[in-house]
Structure formats: C-alpha cells, structure tokens
Amino acid sequence: MFREIKEHVYRALSSLYDKGLMAYTWGNVSEIDHTRQYMAIKPSGLDLNHLHIEDIVIVDIKTGKVVEGDYKPSSDTSTHLELYRRFDTIGGIVHSHSINAVAFSQAGMDIPILGTTHADYFCGSIPCTRPLSDNEMENDYEINTGWVIIETIERRGYDPMSIPGIVVRNHGPFSWGVDAEQAVFYAGIMEIIAEMNFKTLCLNPNSEMPAKLIEKHWNRKNGPLAYYGQ
Amino acid sequence: MFREIKEHVYRALSSLYDKGLMAYTWGNVSEIDHTRQYMAIKPSGLDLNHLHIEDIVIVDIKTGKVVEGDYKPSSDTSTHLELYRRFDTIGGIVHSHSINAVAFSQAGMDIPILGTTHADYFCGSIPCTRPLSDNEMENDYEINTGWVIIETIERRGYDPMSIPGIVVRNHGPFSWGVDAEQAVFYAGIMEIIAEMNFKTLCLNPNSEMPAKLIEKHWNRKNGPLAYYGQ
Amino acid sequence: MFREIKEHVYRALSSLYDKGLMAYTWGNVSEIDHTRQYMAIKPSGLDLNHLHIEDIVIVDIKTGKVVEGDYKPSSDTSTHLELYRRFDTIGGIVHSHSINAVAFSQAGMDIPILGTTHADYFCGSIPCTRPLSDNEMENDYEINTGWVIIETIERRGYDPMSIPGIVVRNHGPFSWGVDAEQAVFYAGIMEIIAEMNFKTLCLNPNSEMPAKLIEKHWNRKNGPLAYYGQ
Amino acid sequence: MFREIKEHVYRALSSLYDKGLMAYTWGNVSEIDHTRQYMAIKPSGLDLNHLHIEDIVIVDIKTGKVVEGDYKPSSDTSTHLELYRRFDTIGGIVHSHSINAVAFSQAGMDIPILGTTHADYFCGSIPCTRPLSDNEMENDYEINTGWVIIETIERRGYDPMSIPGIVVRNHGPFSWGVDAEQAVFYAGIMEIIAEMNFKTLCLNPNSEMPAKLIEKHWNRKNGPLAYYGQ
C-alpha cells in the first residue's frame, strides 16, 4: 500500500548520499502520500548501508503514530509533521547537515540572495530562523523546530514554495518540494548557493543583487510567462 | 549539414560536466559554422542525461530563428547571438555557473590579474560587467546581457581574444574562443584562476602583479615571438 | 593472541585513508586489548601500501616495551600510552593531520561548539592544548604531549568520553573511543565540524550556540533518556 | 642511455597529475643523471595524454643544448639548469601551479611555518622570492627566475635541502629533492601545508610556532638522532 512513497524516500536518501549532501546518519527525508494522511520517513540513526526500502517507516499525519515499520522513525519526525500539517503544497521534506548551509545556520545568517543561480529557484534570501527559547528547547523541541520554521515563513509573509528551504539556527538546512525528489533537488541547490555566497561574502561583505534582477530570473523560470526550459 | 557543429557543442557540454564546471542545467554552449550564418546551441533546461547530439538546436545568426531542431534553444540564445554578430573572431561561446567565477560576479569584482597562470591566457584582469538598469532587465534582458559584455570590452578597449572571458554582474562567467572546445578550455582556466585569486585576496587584499610580468608571460605564450609549446 | 586488536588497528587505518583523513604517513592508530595490558599500534613511518596486519606492533602498556612485531612502533607511542594509563574508558586512539582540524590547532584555537552536528557527539568545544614549554619539548616530548592532553581535560574538568577529541597546539587532532573504530569515527566528525566552523567563523567571528541547545542535542543522543537511534 | 632518467621524469609527471597538483600543461619535472652532465625534462606545452617516455627531452647541463629528443624542452628549462649548476645536492626539480601554493606566491607571502606537518619536512618558512625587476623580466627571464631562487636561499643562508621548496613571486611553487620522485613528494606536501596555512591565517592572522617545536620535529625526522620511521 505504501510501497511507492517508501521507494521515493529510499531513492531520495540514496541521492542525498551520492551528491555528498549527507554524511553518516546526518539527515532525513520524508514524503506524504496523495491522500495527505500518511508520510513515509527514514528510520532514526540508520545509515544507507543498513537500510532497505521496507525499513522506511509510515507515520499517520494526524496522530503522529507509526502505522507500519519495524523501526522508530527519525528523531525529527515531529518537525516534518508540523510542516505537512501547515502547508498543503509541501509533498516532500529533506533535512541535511551539508557543510556550507550549516555554516550559515551556525553564523545565524540568512543565505542572502546575491545572484541568478539563487533567483532561478528561490525568489529571495533563504531565511535563518531565530534561536529557540530555553523553554522551546526543553519541551517539544522537534515540534517547536517545525513551528519556528512556520513562524519565519509567515512573519516574512511569503509562499513556502517560492523559497523552498530554510536554515534552522545553529542546526542546519531543511528544504521541501512537491515530493521527496524535488526536496533533494532544492537541498543540492541550497548547498551550492551557500558555497558561492560564502566565497562572495569573503570577497565583498557588502555584496547585493538588484530587486529587478531577482524578479526577472524568478519569473523567467517560474512565473506565468516563464520561457526557460521546454 | 550541421552535424559537425552539433557534435562539437555536444562534446563541449560533456566536457563541461566532466570538469565539474556545470551542475544541473546551469550553463550553455554554442558554436558558429564556418560561414558564420548559423550557430548550434544547447536546448533550454535539459541536462546531459537527457540530451542527444541531434537535440542540439540550429539558429540563424541574422534572424535569430530556429532552423533545425525539436527543442527551444537556450534561454541565453540572444546573448550568444549578439557576441557572434559583433566579434567575428569568436567561434564558440560557453556560459556556466562555476562556483569561484560566480563568487567574483556576485561580489561585483573583476577577477584581478595576480599571477602567471592568469597572464598565460588572459592578458589582463577579467572584467565584471556593470549592473543592468531596471529597463535593460525588463526589456530584452538577454540581448542587453550581450550588449553589456560588448560595452565592457569596447569601453576598456581590448581585443576580446586577448581576454577571452568575462563575469556578468550577479550572474556568472561567459568565455569564448575560436570554437566551442576552446571556449570550454578558457571556462576551465577562469574557474581555477578564480579559486586561486579568491584565496590570494583572503591572504592579502592588496595583492598585485607587475605590468612587465603580465606582458612577459602573455607574449611568451601568445605574442609574435612566442616560444612556449612546440 | 593479538590478532583481533591488530586487525582492528589495520582496519581503522584503512578507514582513515579511505575517508581522506590521512595523507602519506601522517597519523597513527592504536587499540588496547580487553585486559588493558597491551596495545596494538601502527609502525612508525609506513604508509598503508607497505603495511600488513602482521606488521602492527604490540606494546606492553606498563613498560612501554615492544612485545611483538618486527617494526619500531609509532613515534607517538608514548602519547598513546599516557592516555590509556590515565583514562580506563579509552579503548582506541587516533592521531591524524586532517586539514581543517590542523588549522584550528595551528591557530591555537578550540574548535568552538556552534551547532547541533557538534553537540550530537561532543558536549562542548573541542579544546586546543597550551603550547609545551621548551623543556617539555626537549625532554620526553611525546610523553609530555600525552600529559598536556590529560592536563587540559582535567583542568577543564570533563569526562574524556563526553568530548572524545582534542587538538594539540601547532600539531593536530587526537581522538579516542571505546575502540579504534570509534576513534576513527570521531576523527571524521571532528574534521567535518572543523570545516563547518572554519566557514562559520569567516562569516561571523562572533558565532555562538545557546547552552540549552547543546544540552538538548547531547542528551537526545547520549543522555539517560536518549531517544535518537533505535 | 638516458632511459632511466626519462622514465623517472615520466613517472613523476604522472604522479603530479594523479595527485591533482597539475592541471592542463601547467608544470614541469626534471631529473639529473648521476654524472650531473645531463638532465631529462618535460617537453614544453604537452599534457600527459600526448606524452610518451621517449618524448622526454635530454639537455646538456653545461651548454643548455638539447642532446636527445624530438621536442623543445620546457620553457622553464633555464630555471632548472641554474638550480642544478648551483646546488649539487639537488637531483630532481618540480614546478607546478598547485592552487594553494600559488595563492601564497600571488599574495607575495612566505608559506609560514605554523605546525609540525610543516616542520617534519621543511625546517623553516617556505620563502616567497622578491619580484624580478623589469630588466630581469625582459632579458633572460627564466635564468633570472633561477637566480632569484638562488639569491633567496643564499641571502637567508640555509641549505636548500633543509627547505626543499620555494614560491616564486606571482608565479608558483618549485620544489626539489634527491630525484624527481622526491621533488614530487615535496610538491605534494607544500600544497597541503599551503592549504592548512591558508585556513590557519584566516582563523588567526597572528598564528605562529615556537622555535623549539620546529627544531624538535625537524630533528626527530631528519636530524642525526632521528627516531621517526624504521
């Protein structure tokens, strides 16, 4: 019954390892089924060498309970659940500890929008969330991680699909898409952009990009009159 | 009829991927035929895994119309056309988003000439273009990208074959040569030089190179009395 | 008799090379047997291509004498011995010259704790030892290297298994664990964290991490109520 | 007759490419025969794909004339000759454009001695030469490059085998050894040290290493009482 989303999650995990975005067990991937009742998610603490498709865990979106699978789901399960519950355009989520994106999260900085590579996929700076309060860390830490992502998106007032990723303060990047494969795609792009922007800011800390150029590239690829691609 | 330039463009694209200069679909390659009436160019938005030699698109240089091929040509087609129309020594063009060259373009900085690696192939700093005006971005963006490259070369008053590359502000590197293969060659050298110079400027922001040493290395390899090579 | 610990040390060395943590002959690995009377350690100055399992040297922990093996043991043997003698929870030790960890040791800086990647495995900053005195360098240099590691741990007052690694000033990283394999695991993590933190500090020299988040991640993975993993 | 030194030079070149120290045709290798009358050196401007053992050129040390080989020798031949003529302990020379060592040469900075990785092979900072005068560049540039290396070594007053490498200002690294293989070995170490030190100086521009620790590590490996290795 859940074969397809399990396969998608497994393949997305393989792809994360292949692209060098995931070391050890540092990351997780999930995908929601088309009814939006269940999600498939990586088991906690296992790396790809010890993982089979059938080990992917199925969790009920509403209750958060495991409904299929022999393993405990990812420790970040509650974070994924909050995002799926809040945004019904999100179909897949990736969390990784890719090095350059982590550097921005540890520096407490947005990944600023500085070039067209960025603007083709994210129509603004990729936000860094605020630090959680001590209370938010002590109680329901993973749920609150989901909430601080939601809060950041809603306070800044943008559609999560227009900037399909974020860096969680002192932690690392999350990205999302219509499915797990697309979430991996954005995870890869975030990491490359983060490396470009790290170097850009070392060269010139005052670098910036004209608003009109952001708009032009975003629309050329994603707007109603997009003319990039076939 | 256009088999040869299609093959050249296809092979140049493979080479860009092999050398790590191109990720995803981020870049394009073109080559003009010997009559300078037609160019072969990569289709828009396809990566190498989905590309065959026969998919390379043929465009009429004068009209800009597709004359052969099932796909839409690269979204940067007009930029390539402007360069071929203006400079009749240019036979092939490459655009990429290679990381270190993009860093200079995002920082709004020339890739400064600091060493002999650079001076052996580019006889001066590799310019960064000025930002486009809002109007230039809104109307005929790709044509204007070509024009700002031409304007930069002509204002600074040098032969485009003596510095066969440029970084477009907030965008990324373009390079050119007598054919697509040579344009890839210069794209690869620009990226290495950009990495060297990024590190050099981190170590010493005031680095520079004596004019006489630039002249010496350029002439040793490219001047009328060149004695490098066979 | 010592086959098992020799194999463990050999396999751990292979793993160090495979992960890119060791170049040339720059590093060593040891493991203590379950009686804590003997350790197996890499011979001095040999690289993996010239090394067989039977070449691994066995040293008596109490006397420091070689009891089996045709080669001289690692020049850092005395450093390993001091650590095994002092801390009976340490079962394996790795020393390497991995690039980013060395950079912190040469800069004379702790690898500061700045994110959850770090806090999942090391519950505080990874210390950099003080410089040795001239006298400590001239006489019993390797013993004193062991002592300055012990001194650093004890002055700062933490359990060596809660921060299973250190950088020795102007030298490089040491890490340890319950066995050689775990010591390699921590050597790999230290190098990744060092790269993340190098970039973080370039972006924002004042980066820091809330104490509560360190505690949360450390306990989530290592505390009595740990819920990460299976 | 010259088969052995040709093979050594060819193998050393392969090794430079394999280790990522040489891109395109950027570098050269030579080795002197045991009579110190002849050297084998790479032909100018050829890369490894177009090179066979028999293409390696033999040059007479005294006259600088080619005595065997169909190709022109490296454009840097005169630089190699000057070094062999001056220092009779040098048996092999490598020049490359490896990225991190070039960064120091372009920054006009010594590769400072900051750690034991360095002190195990080079008993002091690796000097950066002074800029050549305009006259030295215009006339006999390659000879003068050899001379400025010799001048640097002799003014600073050290044995070239105690610091078997240098960075030529705005150009790149040269290294040497008893033969071509050892010169490649030092070229590889210089590049790693340069990367370590680049990062160290970004973290802490005032980094330094106690003189006693330099002495200790140098002697442990290279002194009369060396005890590193077998």
Side-chain angles (χ1 to χ4, degrees):
Chain A
M1 178 175 173
F2 298 117
R3 182 77 193 177
E4 194 175 303
I5 54 174
K6 284 185 184 179
E7 273 184 17
H8 289 180
V9 166
Y10 184 85
R11 246 186 272 145
L13 278 165
S14 304
S15 176
L16 273 182
Y17 279 99
D18 288 349
K19 288 178 192 300
L21 296 168
M22 189 161 162
Y24 300 101
T25 59
W26 303 348
N28 40 64
V29 175
S30 71
E31 186 172 294
I32 201 166
D33 81 324
H34 72 281
T35 69
R36 300 192 70 81
Q37 284 186 280
Y38 304 101
M39 78 170 176
I41 191 163
K42 180 182 172 295
S44 182
L46 297 188
D47 69 22
L48 199 65
N49 294 324
H50 299 87
L51 201 65
H52 304 90
I53 292 177
E54 53 273 20
D55 301 333
I56 305 298
V57 184
I58 302 296
V59 176
D60 183 300
I61 297 288
K62 202 176 284 172
T63 65
K65 293 266 167 27
V66 171
V67 297
E68 197 177 294
D70 298 329
Y71 288 105
K72 279 167 55 188
S74 164
S75 55
D76 293 323
T77 293
S78 301
T79 309
H80 291 237
L81 288 173
E82 290 308 320
L83 295 176
Y84 286 126
R85 287 171 184 156
R86 189 66 163 210
F87 300 117
D88 59 15
T89 48
I90 296 183
I93 297 171
V94 163
H95 166 51
S96 88
H97 287 239
S98 66
I99 289 176
N100 291 282
V102 164
F104 278 89
S105 89
Q106 293 190 155
M109 291 167 63
D110 290 5
I111 302 176
I113 188 161
L114 299 176
T116 60
T117 324
H118 188 131
D120 280 338
Y121 301 98
F122 300 84
C123 81
S125 295
I126 298 171
C128 180
T129 61
R130 65 163 173 80
L132 294 179
S133 68
D134 282 8
N135 186 42
E136 287 169 322
M137 289 190 257
E138 267 175 82
N139 303 298
D140 297 320
Y141 168 64
E142 290 82 8
I143 293 177
N144 290 326
T145 299
W147 272 100
V148 81
I149 294 173
I150 294 166
E151 177 197 302
T152 305
I153 294 169
E154 296 187 346
R155 284 219 178 140
R156 298 207 191 183
Y158 63 84
D159 173 356
M161 299 310 271
S162 72
I163 302 180
I166 208 160
V167 288
V168 173
R169 183 74 180 260
N170 295 112
H171 189 29
F174 282 77
S175 60
W176 47 81
V178 295
D179 53 20
E181 186 186 359
Q182 199 180 61
V184 170
F185 179 65
Y186 289 129
I189 295 174
M190 276 177 74
E191 178 60 9
I192 296 178
I193 292 171
E195 186 179 352
M196 288 173 171
N197 291 8
F198 163 69
K199 293 188 165 179
T200 304
L201 294 174
C202 287
L203 286 169
N204 176 4
N206 301 315
S207 299
E208 52 186 26
M209 181 180 189
K212 184 63 79 183
L213 187 58
I214 299 170
E215 190 190 314
K216 175 67 196 175
H217 266 261
W218 174 258
N219 285 328
R220 181 168 102 142
K221 204 147 188 170
N222 308 281
L225 302 172
Y227 56 94
Y228 180 97
Q230 301 298 327
Chain B
M1 177 174 171
F2 298 116
R3 182 77 195 178
E4 194 175 302
I5 53 173
K6 284 186 185 180
E7 274 183 16
H8 289 180
V9 166
Y10 184 85
R11 247 186 271 145
L13 279 164
S14 306
S15 176
L16 272 184
Y17 279 99
D18 288 349
K19 288 178 190 301
L21 296 168
M22 189 162 161
Y24 300 102
T25 59
W26 302 349
N28 40 66
V29 175
S30 71
E31 186 172 294
I32 201 165
D33 81 324
H34 72 281
T35 69
R36 300 193 69 83
Q37 283 187 282
Y38 304 101
M39 77 170 177
I41 191 163
K42 181 184 171 293
S44 182
L46 296 188
D47 69 23
L48 197 66
N49 295 323
H50 299 87
L51 201 65
H52 305 90
I53 292 177
E54 53 273 21
D55 302 333
I56 304 298
V57 185
I58 303 296
V59 176
D60 183 300
I61 297 288
K62 203 176 286 172
T63 66
K65 293 266 167 28
V66 171
V67 298
E68 196 176 295
D70 299 329
Y71 289 106
K72 281 166 53 189
S74 165
S75 55
D76 293 323
T77 293
S78 301
T79 309
H80 291 237
L81 288 173
E82 290 307 320
L83 294 176
Y84 287 125
R85 288 171 184 156
R86 188 67 162 209
F87 301 117
D88 59 16
T89 47
I90 295 183
I93 297 172
V94 163
H95 166 50
S96 89
H97 287 239
S98 66
I99 289 176
N100 291 282
V102 164
F104 278 88
S105 90
Q106 294 189 155
M109 289 167 64
D110 291 4
I111 302 177
I113 188 162
L114 299 176
T116 61
T117 323
H118 188 130
D120 279 338
Y121 301 98
F122 300 83
C123 81
S125 294
I126 298 171
C128 180
T129 62
R130 66 163 172 80
L132 294 179
S133 68
D134 283 9
N135 186 41
E136 287 169 322
M137 290 190 256
E138 266 176 83
N139 304 298
D140 298 320
Y141 168 65
E142 290 82 8
I143 293 177
N144 290 326
T145 298
W147 271 100
V148 81
I149 294 173
I150 294 165
E151 177 197 303
T152 305
I153 293 169
E154 297 187 344
R155 286 219 177 142
R156 297 206 192 184
Y158 62 85
D159 173 356
M161 299 309 271
S162 71
I163 303 180
I166 209 161
V167 289
V168 174
R169 184 74 180 261
N170 295 113
H171 188 31
F174 282 77
S175 59
W176 46 82
V178 295
D179 53 20
E181 187 186 359
Q182 199 181 60
V184 169
F185 179 65
Y186 290 129
I189 295 174
M190 276 178 75
E191 178 60 9
I192 296 179
I193 292 170
E195 186 179 351
M196 287 173 172
N197 291 8
F198 163 69
K199 293 188 167 179
T200 303
L201 294 174
C202 287
L203 286 169
N204 176 4
N206 301 316
S207 301
E208 53 186 25
M209 181 180 187
K212 184 63 79 184
L213 187 57
I214 299 170
E215 192 190 311
K216 175 68 195 174
H217 266 261
W218 174 259
N219 286 328
R220 181 169 99 142
K221 203 148 189 170
N222 307 280
L225 302 172
Y227 56 94
Y228 180 97
Q230 300 299 326
Chain C
M1 178 174 171
F2 298 116
R3 181 79 195 175
E4 194 176 304
I5 54 174
K6 284 187 186 179
E7 274 184 16
H8 289 180
V9 166
Y10 184 84
R11 247 185 270 143
L13 280 164
S14 306
S15 175
L16 273 183
Y17 279 100
D18 289 349
K19 288 178 190 301
L21 296 169
M22 188 161 163
Y24 301 101
T25 59
W26 302 347
N28 40 66
V29 176
S30 71
E31 186 172 293
I32 201 165
D33 81 323
H34 72 281
T35 69
R36 301 192 70 82
Q37 285 187 279
Y38 305 102
M39 78 171 174
I41 190 163
K42 181 182 171 294
S44 182
L46 297 188
D47 69 22
L48 198 65
N49 295 323
H50 300 87
L51 201 64
H52 305 89
I53 292 177
E54 53 274 22
D55 301 333
I56 304 297
V57 185
I58 302 296
V59 177
D60 183 300
I61 296 288
K62 204 176 284 172
T63 66
K65 295 263 169 25
V66 172
V67 297
E68 196 176 295
D70 299 329
Y71 289 105
K72 278 168 54 189
S74 165
S75 55
D76 293 323
T77 293
S78 301
T79 310
H80 291 238
L81 288 173
E82 290 308 320
L83 295 175
Y84 286 126
R85 287 170 183 157
R86 188 67 162 208
F87 301 117
D88 59 15
T89 46
I90 295 183
I93 298 172
V94 163
H95 166 51
S96 88
H97 287 239
S98 67
I99 290 176
N100 291 282
V102 165
F104 278 89
S105 90
Q106 294 190 155
M109 290 167 62
D110 291 4
I111 303 176
I113 188 161
L114 299 175
T116 60
T117 324
H118 188 131
D120 280 338
Y121 301 97
F122 300 82
C123 82
S125 294
I126 297 171
C128 180
T129 61
R130 64 164 174 80
L132 294 180
S133 68
D134 282 9
N135 186 43
E136 288 168 322
M137 289 189 258
E138 267 176 83
N139 303 297
D140 298 321
Y141 168 65
E142 291 81 6
I143 293 177
N144 290 326
T145 299
W147 271 100
V148 81
I149 295 173
I150 293 166
E151 176 197 303
T152 306
I153 293 169
E154 296 186 345
R155 286 221 177 139
R156 297 206 192 184
Y158 61 85
D159 173 356
M161 299 309 271
S162 72
I163 302 181
I166 208 160
V167 288
V168 173
R169 184 73 179 262
N170 294 113
H171 189 30
F174 282 77
S175 60
W176 46 81
V178 295
D179 53 20
E181 187 186 359
Q182 198 180 61
V184 170
F185 179 65
Y186 289 129
I189 295 174
M190 275 177 75
E191 178 61 7
I192 297 178
I193 291 171
E195 186 179 351
M196 287 173 172
N197 291 9
F198 163 69
K199 293 188 167 180
T200 303
L201 294 174
C202 287
L203 286 169
N204 176 4
N206 302 315
S207 300
E208 52 185 26
M209 181 180 188
K212 184 64 79 183
L213 187 58
I214 300 170
E215 190 190 313
K216 175 68 196 175
H217 266 262
W218 174 258
N219 286 327
R220 182 168 99 144
K221 204 148 188 170
N222 308 282
L225 302 173
Y227 56 93
Y228 181 96
Q230 299 299 327
Chain D
M1 177 174 172
F2 299 115
R3 181 79 194 176
E4 194 175 303
I5 54 174
K6 284 186 186 178
E7 273 183 17
H8 288 181
V9 166
Y10 184 85
R11 246 184 274 144
L13 279 165
S14 305
S15 176
L16 273 182
Y17 279 99
D18 288 350
K19 289 179 190 300
L21 296 168
M22 189 161 163
Y24 302 101
T25 59
W26 302 350
N28 40 66
V29 175
S30 71
E31 185 172 294
I32 202 166
D33 81 324
H34 72 281
T35 71
R36 300 191 71 82
Q37 285 187 280
Y38 304 102
M39 78 171 175
I41 191 163
K42 181 183 171 294
S44 182
L46 297 187
D47 70 22
L48 197 65
N49 295 323
H50 299 87
L51 201 63
H52 305 89
I53 292 176
E54 53 274 20
D55 301 333
I56 305 297
V57 185
I58 302 295
V59 177
D60 183 300
I61 297 288
K62 203 176 286 174
T63 66
K65 293 265 166 32
V66 171
V67 297
E68 196 176 293
D70 300 329
Y71 289 106
K72 280 167 52 189
S74 166
S75 54
D76 293 323
T77 293
S78 301
T79 309
H80 291 237
L81 288 173
E82 291 307 320
L83 295 175
Y84 286 125
R85 287 171 185 157
R86 188 67 163 209
F87 301 117
D88 58 15
T89 47
I90 295 183
I93 298 172
V94 164
H95 166 51
S96 88
H97 287 239
S98 66
I99 290 176
N100 291 282
V102 165
F104 278 88
S105 91
Q106 295 190 154
M109 290 167 62
D110 291 4
I111 304 177
I113 188 161
L114 299 176
T116 61
T117 324
H118 188 130
D120 279 339
Y121 301 97
F122 301 82
C123 81
S125 294
I126 298 171
C128 180
T129 62
R130 66 165 172 79
L132 294 178
S133 69
D134 281 9
N135 186 42
E136 288 168 323
M137 289 190 258
E138 266 176 84
N139 303 297
D140 298 320
Y141 168 65
E142 291 82 7
I143 293 177
N144 290 325
T145 299
W147 271 101
V148 81
I149 295 174
I150 293 166
E151 176 197 303
T152 305
I153 293 170
E154 297 187 344
R155 285 221 177 138
R156 298 206 192 184
Y158 62 85
D159 173 355
M161 299 310 271
S162 72
I163 302 180
I166 208 161
V167 289
V168 173
R169 184 73 180 260
N170 295 114
H171 189 30
F174 282 77
S175 59
W176 47 81
V178 295
D179 54 19
E181 187 186 0
Q182 199 181 61
V184 170
F185 178 65
Y186 289 130
I189 295 174
M190 275 177 76
E191 178 61 8
I192 296 178
I193 292 171
E195 185 179 351
M196 287 173 172
N197 291 9
F198 163 70
K199 292 188 168 180
T200 303
L201 294 174
C202 287
L203 286 169
N204 176 5
N206 301 316
S207 300
E208 53 186 26
M209 182 180 188
K212 184 63 79 184
L213 187 58
I214 299 170
E215 191 190 312
K216 174 69 196 175
H217 266 262
W218 174 258
N219 286 327
R220 180 168 100 144
K221 203 148 188 170
N222 307 281
L225 302 172
Y227 56 94
Y228 180 97
Q230 298 301 326

